[in-house]
Amino acid sequence: MSLFVMKFGGSSVGDTERMQRVAKRVAQKQDEGHQCVVVVSAMGDTTDELIDQAKILNDKLPAREMDMLLTTGEQISIALLSMAIQSLGRETVSYTGWQAGFRTEPVHGKARITDIQPERVLRSLKEGKIVIVAGFQGISEEGEITTLGRGGSDTTAVALAAAIKADACEIYTDVDGVYSTDPRIVKVARKLSEISYDEMLELAHLGTAVLHPRAVEYAKHSKVPLVVRSSFTYNEGTVVKEEAALEQGVVVSGIAYDKNVARISILGVEDIPGVLAGMFGALAKEQIDVDIIVQSGISDGKADFSFTVNLDDRQRAIDVIQGMESILPFREITSEDGLVKISIVGAGMVSHPGVAAQMFDVISSQGVNIKMVSTSEIKVSCVVEGTKLNEVIRALHTAYNLDAEVQAFVGGPQDRR
Ligand code: ADP
Ligand code: ASP
Ligand code: MG
């Protein structure tokens, strides 16, 4: 008998029919002689719909109340799925994140898990029950309800799998594994049978929605076997592991994109020690993640800086910098949206010079201007105008020999999108 954590994302539980399909799949796993803990997301687009409602009522989206609101989405899912599995004659129990023992930092919107006390989950398993846990949520020391960031149910699943020493964590979604790029953009994206933690971590950080970055971090540290697979087919999925076999001649394994990018430029800043530390320290204090930073144009002792932040953080970032004007004077602050960050990732890049140059070449051949670049050993990212995103990704996919002969599997029989 093995212990599995099975996580089903929003589209897998998008309506009652899909919920029943998930219920059968879980019952089947139990019939095969396994113990099951099931982690679920909110149904379909519930989280986005709740955010839209909140925006109408208060455009500041107060962080504490947002967590209170958004966690209800997952709570609906656990209750309904539990009922659906019970109707198949199984014993189940549903738990919210806090009932399942998830403790987090006292941060709203993107809290990190600090501790998991899974005794209640383990007790229920011992009683022969299937345990259903709400993804994406926890509770702080102070008793405040928190969320783990968009897409965070993956992290709930992997962290719980590590805490209860599960034999594997299976992430069920609406594509049948991790592909070389988003199969919704490139129909001939290639399904990867395995991928290394490091490559997956880069892809997830760079915007690949199929796995939440912190879920990959947990898997890497705890060594919980992690598989991404479809909730609609029984195809083999993608195994995320320490050492994935490098395919012969493949330099780039995957292409990621992130539409959630804003560029902020601060012009005419005093070029003295401590300016960057002061500015970015203040942003960090406000929990604003800064991505690519470029310093340019030093003249008359003044410098210009540009950096990227998540689009949702743009106004807050501008407010923080403007709030510091008296201690760190600057001439002007501007911002730009409508941008995307496109990234290529591959462990094989280390030993292949010219990969970045080829990327720049492909992007420019699409008539697209590159605004910012950042590189590491296994990735190159370019921030570009978002208007030709699909064309650029398709051209890169072909240029790096990633096109497959067969079309990718996307969605279920009644795919909503
Ligand atoms: P879930 O609701 O199951 O959590 P998500 O929408 O978060 O699902 O993630 C699955 C989606 O990720 C797919 O529908 C696909 O469009 C997108 N995606 C982006 N890049 C990739 C990739 N490289 N491989 C697979 N899916 C990807
Ligand atoms: N429901 C949350 C979201 O839409 C968490 C998740 O689905 O993982 O981001
Ligand atoms: Mg997801």
Side-chain angles (χ1 to χ4, degrees):
M1 181 170 67
S2 296
L3 170 56
F4 280 91
V5 172
M6 310 167 79
K7 180 258 168 179
F8 293 89
S11 55
S12 303
V13 291
D15 53 34
T16 46
E17 212 177 299
R18 287 183 180 210
M19 219 35 122
Q20 278 166 335
R21 190 202 314 264
V22 168
K24 282 190 196 135
R25 191 132 191 176
V26 173
Q28 193 182 339
K29 195 78 151 190
Q30 195 185 42
D31 290 342
E32 287 164 11
H34 304 300
Q35 288 182 305
C36 306
V37 175
V38 184
V39 172
V40 258
S41 295
M43 292 170 76
D45 297 326
T46 302
T47 309
D48 288 326
E49 286 161 11
L50 290 172
I51 294 172
D52 288 344
Q53 282 180 317
K55 277 182 184 157
I56 295 169
L57 299 171
N58 185 336
D59 61 6
K60 288 203 166 56
L61 302 180
R64 179 187 184 278
E65 305 312 325
M66 285 307 288
D67 278 356
M68 190 64 88
L69 176 69
L70 298 188
T71 47
T72 63
E74 271 65 15
Q75 216 164 312
I76 292 171
S77 293
I78 53 169
L80 289 177
L81 183 62
S82 188
M83 292 182 211
I85 303 177
Q86 282 181 16
S87 81
L88 301 175
R90 316 294 161 126
E91 275 196 75
T92 69
V93 59
S94 63
Y95 289 133
T96 61
W98 37 102
Q99 287 176 320
F102 279 79
R103 302 281 176 271
T104 76
E105 297 171 335
V107 173
H108 289 295
K110 50 179 166 187
R112 281 178 180 275
I113 299 165
T114 48
D115 182 34
I116 302 174
Q117 292 161 8
E119 291 71 26
R120 211 163 160 184
V121 171
L122 290 170
R123 217 178 312 131
S124 300
L125 279 172
K126 226 182 206 161
E127 290 163 4
K129 293 182 178 142
I130 294 171
V131 182
I132 328 277
V133 177
F136 170 64
Q137 51 181 255
I139 195 163
S140 69
E141 284 274 316
E142 293 80 9
E144 291 290 335
I145 290 173
T146 55
T147 57
L148 310 182
R150 296 302 307 269
S153 298
D154 297 336
T155 300
T156 303
V158 184
L160 187 55
I164 63 174
K165 302 194 170 51
D167 294 284
C169 181
E170 297 181 323
I171 305 286
Y172 289 87
T173 185
D174 59 359
V175 288
D176 56 9
V178 179
Y179 280 81
S180 49
T181 193
D182 190 341
R184 290 181 194 277
I185 294 185
V186 178
K187 296 278 174 275
V188 288
R190 184 194 298 209
K191 191 172 112 188
L192 309 173
S193 54
E194 45 189 57
I195 184 166
S196 69
Y197 291 127
D198 289 338
E199 285 178 309
M200 192 61 238
L201 200 53
E202 280 287 358
L203 286 170
H205 274 298
L206 294 167
T208 299
V210 72
L211 277 178
H212 193 244
R214 285 185 193 155
V216 189
E217 279 169 27
Y218 267 102
K220 181 174 159 77
H221 287 123
S222 65
K223 305 268 180 313
V224 172
L226 177 61
V227 183
V228 178
R229 53 193 308 193
S230 166
S231 60
F232 301 101
T233 72
Y234 284 82
N235 296 348
E236 268 180 37
T238 301
V239 180
V240 189
K241 56 199 288 207
E242 188 65 49
E243 302 250 336
L246 275 183
E247 260 186 73
Q248 200 75 32
V250 171
V251 179
V252 170
S253 313
I255 303 172
Y257 64 93
D258 186 353
K259 292 182 185 174
N260 234 331
V261 179
R263 176 162 78 154
I264 296 178
S265 300
I266 311 166
L267 311 175
V269 187
E270 201 76 25
D271 187 28
I272 48 168
V275 169
L276 279 180
M279 233 174 330
F280 293 107
L283 291 167
K285 222 164 125 198
E286 290 300 315
Q287 311 280 341
I288 298 172
D289 290 328
V290 174
D291 187 20
I292 305 178
I293 305 173
V294 176
Q295 178 178 354
S296 61
I298 301 173
S299 66
D300 299 335
K302 307 268 191 214
D304 297 340
F305 293 104
S306 287
F307 59 89
T308 56
V309 292
N310 193 303
L311 201 50
D312 304 329
D313 289 335
R314 175 174 62 165
Q315 196 49 51
R316 279 200 310 131
I318 293 174
D319 292 346
V320 168
I321 303 288
Q322 278 173 337
M324 298 182 72
E325 205 177 351
S326 56
I327 19 177
L328 290 173
F330 54 84
R331 193 179 70 245
E332 195 185 346
I333 182 163
T334 61
S335 74
E336 195 180 350
D337 53 20
L339 303 173
V340 287
K341 185 170 71 174
I342 300 177
S343 309
I344 54 171
V345 172
M349 257 185 222
V350 185
S351 51
H352 284 80
V355 181
Q358 188 181 5
M359 181 179 192
F360 304 152
D361 203 36
V362 172
I363 295 177
S364 67
S365 70
Q366 295 296 312
V368 173
N369 221 358
I370 298 172
K371 293 178 177 266
M372 291 171 115
V373 175
S374 111
T375 63
S376 80
E377 271 203 328
I378 65 165
K379 67 119 199 216
V380 183
S381 298
C382 295
V383 175
V384 300
E385 285 278 355
T387 44
K388 283 194 167 175
L389 171 68
N390 292 5
E391 290 88 334
V392 170
I393 290 186
R394 286 188 198 120
L396 287 168
H397 202 264
T398 304
Y400 291 112
N401 295 320
L402 294 171
D403 293 355
E405 269 151 34
V406 287
Q407 288 216 345
F409 168 84
V410 177
Q414 312 95 27
D415 188 29
R416 294 167 297 123
R417 291 187 251 196

